[in-house]
Amino acid sequence: MSNTQQTQAFYSLTLEPPSAVTAAVTCNAIPGLKTADQQIFEARGQRIYLHRIVENEDRTVIKLSTVVEQDVFGIVRGVAAFRIPGTPIDQLIVSSDSGRIALLNYDSAKNAFKRVHLETFGKSGIRRTIPGQYLANDPRGRCCMLASVEKNKVVYIVNRNAEAEVVISSPHEANQWASLCFGICALDTGWEHPIFAALEVDYNEAESDPSGAMYEQREKQLVYYTVDLGLNHVVKSWTDAVDYTANIMFGVPGGQDGPSGVLVCCEDRIYYRHDKTSPLCIPIPRRKGPTEDPNRKRIIVSGCLHLQKSRHEFFFLLQTEDGDVFKFTMEMAKDAQDRPTMEPVRLHMKYYDTYPPAKQMLLIRKGYIYVAAENGNSKLYHVNDLAEDPEVEPHNNFTSDGVSSDPAATYEPTYFTPRGLTFTSLAYDVPGLNPLMRTKVDNLTGEDAPQIYAIQGTGNSSVLKTMRHGLEINEIVSSPLGNLQYDNLWSLKHRAVDDYHSYLLLSSGYGDKTIVLSIGDEVETMENSPFLTNRATITANQMGDATLVQVHARGILSVLESGALNEWPAPAHRTIVAASSNDRQLLLGLSSSELAFFFMGDDGVLNQLEEMPEMSGKITALSVGQTPRGQQQAKYAVVGCDDCTIRVYSIELETALEPRSVQALSAVPTSIEVVEMLDPSSNVLVNYVHIGLQSGLYLRAVIDDVTGELGEVRTRFLGARPTRIFPVEIAEEQGIVASSSRPWLGYNNKGTYTLTPLVTGQVEAARPFVTEHLRGFCAVQGQSLLIFTLPTTDGRLSSSEVGLKYTPRAMTRHPYSPVWYVAQSDGNTLAQGTKDQLLSADGAMNGVDEDVSKQLGLSRSAGHWASCIQAVDPIFAKAATHTIEFTDNEAALCCAAVPFESKNWEVYLAVGTGQHLRPGVSAKGQAPRGYVHIYKLLEDGRNMELVHKTPFDAPIYAVHAFQGRLALGVGADLFLYDVGLKSLLRKSRGTVVANTITSIDSRGNRLICADVSESITYVVFKPKHNRMIGFVDDVIQRWTTTAAMIDYETSAGGDKFGNLWVVRCPEQASKESDEEGLGGYIVNERSYLGGAPYRLELRSHFFTQDIPMSIQRTALVAGGQEVLFWSGLQGTLGMLVPFVSREDVEFFTQLETLIRAEEPPLAGRDHLMYRSYYVPVKGVIDGDLCERFMKLSFDGKQKIAAEVEREVKEVERKVQEMRTRVAF
Amino acid sequence: MADKLRTQQQLESLQNKYIGTGHADTTKHEWTSNIARDSYASYQGHPPLLHYMSIGTGQCMERTRMACMEGMVLPVGPAPQTED
């Protein structure tokens, strides 16, 4: 990595991993659980997950919780799970781009995946002839097959030896030259030799025949491959031609359970095929309805089998591309004694329910259906009824009677009407961001940290999401407290043994007043409380067994259980400025900089220590640690003074107030709390001191239990106000609330200490609040008392959403008001106008429930486009404020808010569209055209009014506001337009790229144009001569999806193959382009190799796996450094953090190399090769790999730390700070 | 001469093992077919890319995958007539 030494390097981190599921399977991988308690083994992007369904007793709370997840640093393509006979748990198989088969199982002791076998069968990478695209395993767990799209198949036989170890055979190949494999599946043959079925097409003859006749005669073959376990080889045992449109197969149970064989799913029909029985065929029912095309044929996209072994009964659930799920059953012939035989005679299909189209549908024995959705959130449905009664909805029953099993024969199509969920109900919605079309980080609300705005989803389930870093709170009560500003509060128990809080004290330092509330069924003001109310309280606590202590500026008031009052007045001419207490100990800081220490005896009386040491400066904050469980006293107290120091004192009775250590700070401490928390890495309780500073910084340090020294200091900036710390309890663990310009929660999350803001306004003080009905928090927020709970502490992002109409393509913001404009379009979909016409002709205008229509999806129709532009206000209205539907097959592709200079900088909205677009269809006939619509923005941008639309020869993929004009790309040309009365007026034109401009960005007079396949071109606009000259382009073809200028010279972008890159303009080219006037030079420079005169320099390159859709230079947290934030199609949020110092680059480079060697990726892909998938990785260090350090074993950590000559803790701190400094 | 034979054999084994290994008489049709097939295989092998194309064309991923598979059968049309 010598390159990183020379130029800017970046640290790549994933903020939110992709949520699109690639493959999923049910398994029983966790030992000791019931067979019905199945888990889900799932692959999303480059990560693998093991999920469990967690439910409470009466099934009112159902959740999918992740047991373990791991980044495998490879493209996961398939997963499988199977049980080797005689073993207790399922083996998990991962097929990836490593050219290896990885056999894993779940190690419950370490809660991690354990690799059992890793066998190489081919080259790495995704190649045409390297198996890995398809994966199938024998249902009896004897072998598995991996297949490639062309030619190769390998079979591994797995077994168990006498020592109960899993052994894997050498690969058995079954290769067939010039044969394409459309799908494989395993047959259930009982305990006979395992058979795999494949759908194959031989292209050899079609290719060598110049007349094309052989191509017309090509056939799709169903091929059986029998694995002969005795002879240890694989033979092709049966071949037969099937319907050419066959796409997916499912194995039918065999042995005692059923007839064996396969379901071959084709377009509009499903066949049952087997070599021993005659074929059967059933048409797939089509949707009926005024807006449905009666001739449209569906295919099956996913399905699952339910087999009840005890009763030898089974059924399939098969899902069509519309999302309709059918229950598929087979009827067997009866023999003379009326017993069922293994000869199927009839197929049945019954419409079950409609779910989002799935990548994988899983039936879980506990009674759930897991739908790993292709687009949008994955969902878990609870099965209420298996639709076993044929009398229920008899019109939805379909059979194979009278349908010929000959693919060429005609048949009568069947129809059904889709409806809302009937047999199942939604149990859990798995949060996800897939597919994420665009994101933009912006601050619309004026909070201290920006929000992430995202357009997400497809069809009518698309949304505009507002995401914030923070935990959502559930507000229970917010009651006004009057005009007085309260600044602190305490919740007190009556006795130490009580479970619930009884008193709530609120103190106002400004008003020198305390109010006491009693907590019962209701929270109400207490009239005759024992507490002093005409003073401000400094601290209040319940000490000893049942003594209530209130500290105020002039002294201490303690209320004994008997009701007797004890008072300790402050020494003359001194007041109390700070105080802290635990069960037995009380420490006061006096205005004379003296400390006063008290210990409470068993009688509930406070005894003062005579010694009163004086501090070096004015005491600003102090804290005694909480009393450790089972002990009488805490060991240390920490005192902070205005000379920017904190000191640790021993407060044990024998060595009371002996100083232990000192630590200097960068600012005056305003709040200190000593909290005993679990250290997640070593799992022991450690005393942490949390310090809030005047400057808004937050520090956390560890107090050494023996010496009292402070160590492992972590710092974080929380906000612009002085930080105050409050100890709280979160999920039965200790945590803190740190309150600055907004409240933050500090807690242990998934093995790391995390600070996450709470999504609410500024909070003065927060304390735990426990009653019989509620476990939550109470807080002073402004002039109200806020009582709230935290629904979950799992995620780190909270989001709210506004529904959209169609698949969103682009978004732009109104420059002044918090309104987004979203261009939306859906291909092969009926436009709203056409739909309304059809509906009104049918007379069924109303009566379609919005929720149901959302669930059923949009009406499909080939060649049609549905499109609209919406103004969305996510802040105040939380809805789309205006919608304009497009007609005439136009599709909105891009939009920009443009202030036109000629209209006195009034902002207009420009929307680029395409008409008669035919994606995926070879170009024939009239070429698609484009339009630019100009809208006038009314009512602060919440309303739009069409001004005019201007036609163009090609679809418009990019519009951009440029110096009071509109820059737009029409094919390969870049234009500047001004707004006229009836149309746009052309001002300048330049042919700058090779194919089609897909995105434009600019700074000053410089524009960058991204081409659909040829990377980006820098263009300079010469205003005096009104010319646009492309002067730098790239040497690599980058199929750019997004590009942004990060400074005047440098651009960052992403491409369709999942790369992120940073390129820079050479210095000389940059200078020449900025010369006065045309300068004669850049315009006369000779073009080099048919392109621009200069070439871009590559600065950084990184393979991310997911396709970057947006990239932006922005800060993500308040006071954080700017980073390159990107978002990927499958729901990834990530960032590239620029390194500040050379030492860091060297350190992380070394760390990355060491971790690569210490823990090679699980699926067997070489990490460096993976990140260099298309272009060698350059100038980027993989932060996700560096964060694996935290998950290494103790020995592994020690070894690596020794290599980099640092402590383990220090390495951990460095790795964590790379993330927390700039993001979350 | 033996050397030449061995080279020939090695080349043949390579051609057998790895589809697309060229030879002295590779035609334009063979070459372009190979590239097109490799591309189609790559589109369906990378899940995000297949997803991207499916959203663009407004159909499900299984249809896009089948289109890619079907494209592999005869990606650039039948072979041209040979002269002899």
Side-chain angles (χ1 to χ4, degrees):
Chain A
M1 293 275 285
S2 58
N3 290 328
T4 58
Q5 306 295 313
Q6 288 156 17
T7 58
Q8 177 64 61
F10 294 93
Y11 184 77
S12 158
L13 268 179
T14 304
L15 296 174
E16 200 67 12
S19 55
V21 178
T22 314
V25 72
T26 51
C27 63
N28 285 94
I30 303 178
L33 291 183
K34 281 193 200 131
T35 341
D37 195 355
Q38 286 172 307
Q39 300 98 52
I40 298 167
F41 181 50
E42 188 176 75
R44 298 179 187 170
Q46 54 177 20
R47 284 160 196 261
I48 51 173
Y49 292 79
L50 190 66
H51 301 298
R52 256 190 88 178
I53 296 169
V54 181
E55 53 189 14
N56 63 353
E57 275 165 18
D58 54 354
R59 287 198 171 182
T60 45
V61 182
I62 299 162
K63 230 181 102 179
L64 194 72
S65 83
T66 304
V67 180
V68 57
E69 63 168 286
Q70 187 165 348
D71 200 329
V72 300
F73 299 105
I75 301 170
V76 186
R77 306 166 77 187
V79 292
F82 65 96
R83 174 76 57 93
I84 299 171
T87 54
I89 54 165
D90 283 4
Q91 306 295 320
L92 311 170
I93 303 178
V94 175
S95 94
S96 68
D97 61 342
S98 61
R100 294 160 150 189
I101 177 173
L103 208 64
L104 315 172
N105 52 45
Y106 172 69
D107 185 343
S108 55
K110 284 192 189 136
N111 188 28
F113 290 112
K114 191 175 80 185
R115 194 162 65 201
V116 185
H117 282 290
L118 185 66
E119 296 296 319
T120 309
F121 53 73
K123 287 184 177 183
S124 64
I126 294 199
R127 290 162 203 265
R128 186 168 136 206
T129 57
I130 303 297
Q133 175 75 22
Y134 306 111
L135 171 65
N137 66 279
D138 176 46
R140 311 275 160 164
R142 294 169 294 176
C143 54
C144 68
M145 177 186 256
L146 287 124
S148 61
V149 290
E150 186 174 329
K151 190 182 138 199
N152 289 21
K153 291 183 184 64
V154 287
V155 173
Y156 282 96
I157 299 170
V158 256
N159 225 322
R160 180 185 66 117
N161 66 9
E163 284 84 52
E165 288 164 337
V166 174
V167 286
I168 188 161
S169 73
S170 51
H172 304 292
E173 294 192 34
N175 300 345
Q176 170 84 43
W177 180 267
S179 111
L180 298 171
C181 178
F182 282 64
I184 63 169
C185 92
L187 260 70
D188 188 348
T189 54
W191 295 106
E192 314 254 305
H193 289 307
I195 297 176
F196 291 98
L199 285 173
E200 291 182 358
V201 170
D202 191 314
Y203 68 75
N204 204 9
E205 284 175 332
E207 192 174 47
S208 52
D209 172 31
S211 68
M214 293 310 287
Y215 176 70
E216 295 302 324
Q217 288 167 26
R218 70 201 189 279
E219 277 188 332
K220 201 171 265 176
Q221 304 284 345
L222 172 66
V223 185
Y224 275 12
Y225 290 93
T226 305
V227 183
D228 195 321
L229 294 171
L231 295 171
N232 240 355
H233 69 175
V234 183
V235 287
K236 209 178 196 182
S237 53
W238 182 60
T239 326
D240 196 12
V242 291
D243 189 333
Y244 193 77
T245 56
N247 66 312
I248 194 169
M249 290 187 297
F250 297 96
V252 177
Q256 289 186 310
D257 304 319
S260 189
V262 283
L263 296 185
V264 181
C265 304
C266 311
E267 202 173 61
D268 212 31
R269 271 186 284 185
I270 299 171
Y271 295 84
Y272 167 74
R273 298 300 298 264
H274 194 35
D275 55 351
K276 297 189 180 68
T277 53
S278 52
L280 290 168
C281 171
I282 184 168
I284 301 171
R286 301 176 189 173
R287 279 189 181 185
K288 193 161 59 186
T291 59
E292 292 291 338
D293 176 3
N295 296 321
R296 194 162 74 86
K297 299 172 173 179
R298 274 81 175 172
I299 56 168
I300 298 292
V301 295
S302 68
C304 55
L305 165 74
H306 178 76
L307 169 64
Q308 205 160 26
K309 282 208 163 141
S310 54
R311 288 159 63 188
H312 306 308
E313 282 179 0
F314 67 89
F315 65 83
F316 289 90
L317 289 178
L318 300 174
Q319 190 182 35
T320 67
E321 59 191 310
D322 290 343
D324 304 322
V325 174
F326 294 91
K327 186 179 168 180
F328 182 98
T329 44
M330 296 170 83
E331 198 180 308
M332 306 296 159
K334 301 264 171 69
D335 64 4
Q337 277 88 37
D338 208 31
R339 287 175 307 200
T341 59
M342 290 300 177
E343 174 76 31
V345 288
R346 189 176 289 139
L347 307 177
H348 282 284
M349 270 176 114
K350 186 183 179 79
Y351 171 55
Y352 191 64
D353 265 338
T354 301
Y355 306 135
K359 196 84 186 65
Q360 193 73 256
M361 189 164 59
L362 304 173
L363 191 71
I364 290 148
R365 283 180 185 281
K366 266 176 161 179
Y368 295 100
I369 295 172
Y370 178 66
V371 175
E374 186 179 311
N375 293 309
N377 294 358
S378 298
K379 289 181 167 75
L380 190 70
Y381 292 92
H382 184 261
V383 178
N384 304 323
D385 188 345
L386 278 174
E388 268 162 341
D389 187 357
E391 301 302 313
V392 178
E393 297 189 345
H395 53 279
N396 280 338
N397 292 334
F398 305 95
T399 66
S400 61
D401 287 346
V403 182
S404 159
S405 61
D406 177 13
T410 53
Y411 56 95
E412 197 61 37
T414 49
Y415 294 92
F416 74 101
T417 313
R419 48 157 166 76
L421 290 182
T422 308
F423 295 115
T424 52
S425 52
L426 182 64
Y428 185 64
D429 197 10
V430 186
L433 291 172
N434 146 58
L436 192 52
M437 309 302 282
R438 299 266 176 227
T439 55
K440 188 97 185 146
V441 179
D442 206 333
N443 197 344
L444 262 58
T445 55
E447 291 164 37
D448 56 355
Q451 306 89 47
I452 303 170
Y453 295 89
I455 43 176
Q456 187 222 329
T458 56
N460 54 3
S461 49
S462 336
V463 289
L464 182 128
K465 257 195 183 154
T466 309
M467 288 180 277
R468 286 182 178 83
H469 173 221
L471 295 168
E472 206 74 61
I473 67 160
N474 180 15
E475 191 177 297
I476 310 249
V477 178
S478 177
S479 66
L481 292 166
N483 290 330
L484 202 55
Q485 179 71 47
Y486 290 91
D487 51 25
N488 212 336
L489 83 171
W490 296 267
S491 51
L492 269 58
K493 289 175 183 171
H494 185 65
R495 262 184 235 97
V497 292
D498 284 358
D499 290 332
Y500 311 120
H501 289 131
S502 311
Y503 306 104
L504 189 64
L505 269 71
L506 288 137
S507 155
S508 166
Y510 172 73
D512 205 11
K513 188 175 173 227
T514 299
I515 52 171
V516 185
L517 310 173
S518 70
I519 306 169
D521 287 337
E522 279 173 39
V523 177
E524 53 202 1
T525 316
M526 208 170 152
E527 294 301 335
N528 307 316
S529 81
F531 297 103
L532 268 181
T533 54
N534 53 357
R535 295 266 165 77
T537 306
I538 292 167
T539 188
N541 196 7
Q542 188 273 315
M543 290 178 71
D545 291 331
T547 307
L548 300 169
V549 174
Q550 182 190 17
V551 180
H552 53 91
R554 303 281 176 76
I556 309 169
L557 173 76
S558 42
V559 187
L560 300 186
E561 195 177 14
S562 58
L565 300 182
N566 261 351
E567 282 199 64
W568 178 86
H573 313 300
R574 281 168 270 182
T575 54
I576 301 169
V577 292
S580 169
S581 68
N582 57 26
D583 287 358
R584 297 274 175 179
Q585 294 148 309
L586 172 65
L587 187 67
L588 304 181
L590 302 182
S591 55
S592 55
S593 302
E594 285 165 314
L595 288 176
F597 179 68
F598 296 83
F599 185 79
M600 182 173 278
D602 289 336
D603 53 357
V605 176
L606 288 166
N607 306 304
Q608 195 195 353
L609 187 81
E610 277 174 28
E611 200 183 334
M612 287 172 70
E614 198 168 327
M615 304 293 296
S616 55
K618 270 198 158 161
I619 298 168
T620 54
L622 54 80
S623 168
V624 295
Q626 286 152 317
T627 315
R629 200 162 285 172
Q631 290 177 34
Q632 292 256 315
Q633 43 187 353
K635 271 179 121 169
Y636 300 110
V638 180
V639 183
C641 299
D642 69 347
D643 57 355
C644 300
T645 57
I646 54 167
R647 283 154 206 274
V648 179
Y649 283 89
S650 166
I651 49 168
E652 283 180 301
L653 272 185
E654 304 84 58
T655 55
L657 296 187
E658 278 182 17
R660 286 286 188 258
S661 63
V662 189
Q663 169 90 39
L665 303 170
S666 61
V668 178
T670 49
S671 176
I672 297 176
E673 283 298 336
V674 179
V675 179
E676 198 176 46
M677 283 175 78
L678 200 69
D679 177 20
S681 59
S682 58
N683 245 339
V684 291
L685 285 172
V686 174
N687 265 318
Y688 288 103
V689 51
H690 302 267
I691 307 147
L693 301 190
Q694 188 86 48
S695 56
L697 279 179
Y698 157 80
L699 279 79
R700 187 185 73 144
V702 174
I703 309 178
D704 189 294
D705 203 40
V706 181
T707 60
E709 295 281 340
L710 292 171
E712 288 179 46
V713 184
R714 310 263 170 111
T715 315
R716 178 127 189 208
F717 177 70
L718 297 188
R721 291 180 74 241
T723 303
R724 295 175 70 190
I725 318 271
F726 304 94
V728 290
E729 206 164 87
I730 301 140
E732 274 140 42
E733 268 193 65
Q734 288 295 326
I736 55 141
V737 169
S739 161
S740 178
S741 50
R742 54 180 172 160
W744 294 66
L745 194 72
Y747 58 106
N748 283 327
N749 181 26
K750 290 181 195 154
T752 41
Y753 179 74
T754 318
L755 264 180
T756 311
L758 300 175
V759 181
T760 180
Q762 182 186 322
V763 158
E764 296 298 327
R767 300 281 174 186
F769 185 82
V770 182
T771 68
E772 207 178 326
H773 314 289
L774 183 74
R775 271 195 110 73
F777 306 90
C778 54
V780 178
Q781 186 171 46
Q783 283 165 345
S784 330
L785 173 68
L786 178 72
I787 295 173
F788 63 96
T789 56
L790 285 174
T792 170
T793 54
D794 286 345
R796 294 171 305 149
L797 289 176
S798 61
S799 63
S800 58
E801 55 191 47
V802 176
L804 302 174
K805 287 197 78 169
Y806 308 116
T807 308
R809 308 277 164 173
M811 72 198 293
T812 187
R813 198 205 138 169
H814 189 279
Y816 316 117
S817 22
V819 176
W820 290 98
Y821 303 100
V822 186
Q824 304 160 38
S825 51
D826 256 315
N828 296 333
T829 304
L830 277 187
Q832 186 68 44
T834 325
K835 213 169 155 179
D836 290 345
Q837 263 175 26
L838 288 168
L839 282 172
S840 62
D842 192 65
M845 192 60 201
N846 41 23
V848 184
D849 188 3
E850 178 135 344
D851 283 348
V852 174
S853 72
K854 214 160 225 186
Q855 180 208 340
L856 301 181
L858 296 166
S859 303
R860 299 279 174 189
S861 183
H864 288 258
W865 281 87
S867 178
C868 73
I869 178 110
Q870 282 189 311
V872 183
D873 175 357
I875 309 296
F876 301 108
K878 294 197 193 314
T881 53
H882 193 74
T883 306
I884 296 176
E885 288 277 349
F886 289 165
T887 51
D888 297 336
N889 241 4
E890 257 188 89
L893 300 170
C894 54
C895 59
V898 192
F900 282 106
E901 190 181 3
S902 58
K903 294 278 178 185
N904 204 13
W905 299 101
E906 190 186 340
V907 180
Y908 287 82
L909 179 70
V911 182
T913 67
Q915 194 182 27
H916 307 306
L917 292 170
R918 291 184 301 261
V921 178
S922 51
K924 275 190 292 250
Q926 199 194 0
R929 293 164 52 80
Y931 290 92
V932 173
H933 299 235
I934 298 289
Y935 294 97
K936 197 178 172 71
L937 302 176
L938 312 162
E939 298 168 29
D940 286 339
R942 284 176 179 78
N943 222 330
M944 300 173 283
E945 187 187 279
L946 181 69
V947 180
H948 51 66
K949 69 180 201 180
T950 314
F952 289 91
D953 292 339
I956 311 295
Y957 289 100
V959 286
H960 178 75
F962 179 72
Q963 300 188 347
R965 285 170 174 178
L966 175 69
L968 57 94
V970 184
D973 295 333
L974 178 65
F975 288 96
L976 286 186
Y977 273 86
D978 206 342
V979 68
L981 283 175
K982 293 203 167 153
S983 78
L984 288 171
L985 308 170
R986 188 201 289 180
K987 294 294 170 194
S988 178
R989 171 182 182 162
T991 303
V992 289
V993 301
N995 303 304
T996 304
I997 295 176
T998 55
S999 126
I1000 304 170
D1001 197 7
S1002 68
R1003 286 199 182 206
N1005 276 335
R1006 189 174 285 181
L1007 299 111
I1008 59 162
C1009 296
D1011 185 60
V1012 69
S1013 68
E1014 300 273 353
S1015 188
I1016 52 176
T1017 307
Y1018 278 53
V1019 179
V1020 61
F1021 175 61
K1022 296 285 182 193
K1024 266 190 202 153
H1025 305 83
N1026 205 17
R1027 283 188 66 180
M1028 288 188 286
I1029 309 151
F1031 64 98
V1032 196
D1033 60 11
D1034 207 341
V1035 285
I1036 296 183
Q1037 291 197 326
R1038 304 180 201 278
W1039 293 63
T1040 316
T1041 49
T1042 177
M1045 285 182 99
I1046 53 177
D1047 61 36
Y1048 192 59
E1049 313 287 352
T1050 322
S1051 301
D1055 66 33
K1056 278 180 196 172
F1057 302 108
N1059 299 300
L1060 278 177
W1061 32 267
V1062 176
V1063 289
R1064 195 171 163 90
C1065 176
E1067 210 180 321
Q1068 196 193 347
S1070 179
K1071 263 192 204 143
E1072 281 179 14
S1073 76
D1074 285 345
E1075 273 170 18
E1076 268 297 298
L1078 280 179
Y1081 206 65
I1082 199 93
V1083 72
N1084 293 322
E1085 191 82 77
R1086 212 179 315 145
S1087 125
Y1088 180 62
L1089 296 177
Y1094 292 96
R1095 294 290 179 266
L1096 289 166
E1097 293 166 4
L1098 179 69
R1099 285 303 165 99
S1100 292
H1101 196 102
F1102 191 65
F1103 177 68
T1104 61
Q1105 204 262 331
D1106 199 356
I1107 301 177
M1109 298 295 278
S1110 292
I1111 193 162
Q1112 188 184 357
R1113 176 183 154 177
T1114 178
L1116 289 173
V1117 291
Q1121 176 199 355
E1122 283 192 324
V1123 297
L1124 281 179
F1125 172 81
W1126 68 274
S1127 69
L1129 180 73
Q1130 300 212 305
T1132 318
L1133 297 181
M1135 60 173 179
L1136 294 177
V1137 188
F1139 276 109
V1140 181
S1141 78
R1142 180 68 60 223
E1143 290 81 57
D1144 275 355
V1145 182
E1146 281 163 18
F1147 169 79
F1148 281 103
T1149 310
Q1150 201 188 356
L1151 184 68
E1152 197 187 24
T1153 320
L1154 290 167
I1155 296 176
R1156 248 179 228 149
E1158 178 65 29
E1159 196 205 45
L1162 195 66
R1165 181 81 161 124
D1166 183 88
H1167 175 263
L1168 190 59
M1169 293 290 284
Y1170 172 64
R1171 290 301 187 191
S1172 311
Y1173 202 101
Y1174 293 100
V1175 173
V1177 62
K1178 184 178 179 184
V1180 180
I1181 287 164
D1182 188 358
D1184 294 336
L1185 184 74
C1186 292
E1187 290 196 339
R1188 287 292 307 164
F1189 181 81
M1190 253 69 86
K1191 300 267 162 71
L1192 291 179
S1193 66
F1194 182 72
D1195 291 344
K1197 280 185 192 175
Q1198 288 284 345
K1199 200 172 133 195
I1200 289 174
E1203 290 271 354
V1204 294
E1205 293 171 353
R1206 279 167 211 260
E1207 292 283 320
V1208 172
K1209 289 275 176 199
E1210 203 183 333
V1211 178
E1212 282 182 349
R1213 182 184 63 90
K1214 267 190 102 74
V1215 171
Q1216 275 175 3
E1217 259 181 18
M1218 279 310 283
R1219 182 185 279 272
T1220 54
R1221 210 158 39 87
V1222 291
F1224 34 82
Chain B
M1 199 58 204
D3 232 24
K4 209 171 178 183
L5 195 67
R6 190 180 305 146
T7 322
Q8 186 64 33
Q9 280 170 348
Q10 277 174 350
L11 188 63
E12 266 172 24
S13 87
L14 268 180
Q15 277 159 352
N16 243 326
K17 201 167 168 194
Y18 302 111
I19 298 173
T21 314
H23 51 88
D25 301 320
T26 306
T27 63
K28 183 182 175 188
H29 177 258
E30 279 168 15
W31 192 71
T32 46
S33 301
N34 249 315
I35 288 177
R37 285 205 183 98
D38 281 340
S39 307
Y40 278 126
S42 174
Y43 300 156
Q44 29 181 322
H46 291 89
L49 195 53
L50 192 66
H51 198 177
Y52 186 89
M53 291 175 158
S54 306
I55 293 172
T57 48
Q59 61 189 9
C60 65
M61 278 164 88
E62 183 67 13
R63 276 226 186 250
T64 316
R65 187 184 77 82
M66 288 310 283
C68 289
M69 280 308 302
E70 195 45 48
M72 285 178 80
V73 177
L74 205 58
V76 290
Q81 283 293 352
T82 40
E83 303 228 329
D84 47 36

